[in-house]
Amino acid sequence: CVTGLSVRHTGEHFQRSNDTISRYFRSMCMAFSSQTFYTKYVKLPSTLDPPPQYLHCSQKLWPFFEKCLGAIDGSHVAASPSAKDWANTRDRK
């Protein structure tokens, strides 16, 4: 999951079929996104949390993050672009 390897490469590394790798990957995704796991282990930051120390102490980064409330990291944001902008936003992270 973390390395970004394909199912084929992962199956080759662990000597398992692509179907087996896909099946277990889906079951892991379901387990990690379940309500019981998510509410117990995922803690979202609040607006009152201080920024990370490495940002606060960096003269290079701090001017850009000084007034930042949070960051979108690996999140999908629902968007409804106009027909004119649709091609520019397709398949973008």
Side-chain angles (χ1 to χ4, degrees):
C1 297
V2 176
T3 61
L5 293 175
S6 67
V7 170
R8 183 173 54 96
H9 284 104
T10 307
E12 186 177 315
H13 178 78
F14 290 106
Q15 295 295 301
R16 299 288 183 253
S17 70
N18 293 347
D19 181 59
T20 302
I21 299 297
S22 292
R23 191 176 334 118
Y24 280 100
F25 181 77
R26 274 193 301 270
S27 67
M28 287 172 42
C29 286
M30 294 302 290
F32 292 146
S33 63
S34 70
Q35 186 70 20
T36 54
F37 181 89
Y38 196 83
T39 55
K40 185 175 181 179
Y41 294 106
V42 176
K43 180 187 174 285
L44 298 175
S46 74
T47 56
L48 303 175
D49 291 341
Q53 193 64 27
Y54 70 90
L55 284 178
H56 195 60
C57 294
S58 172
Q59 293 178 352
K60 180 181 176 184
L61 298 174
W62 183 245
F64 298 106
F65 290 96
E66 185 174 6
K67 296 179 183 175
C68 183
L69 295 176
I72 299 173
D73 186 17
S75 300
H76 292 277
V77 178
S80 299
S82 64
K84 182 180 89 175
D85 295 328
W86 187 80
N88 295 331
T89 58
R90 184 171 180 257
D91 293 332
R92 300 289 182 206
K93 292 183 178 178

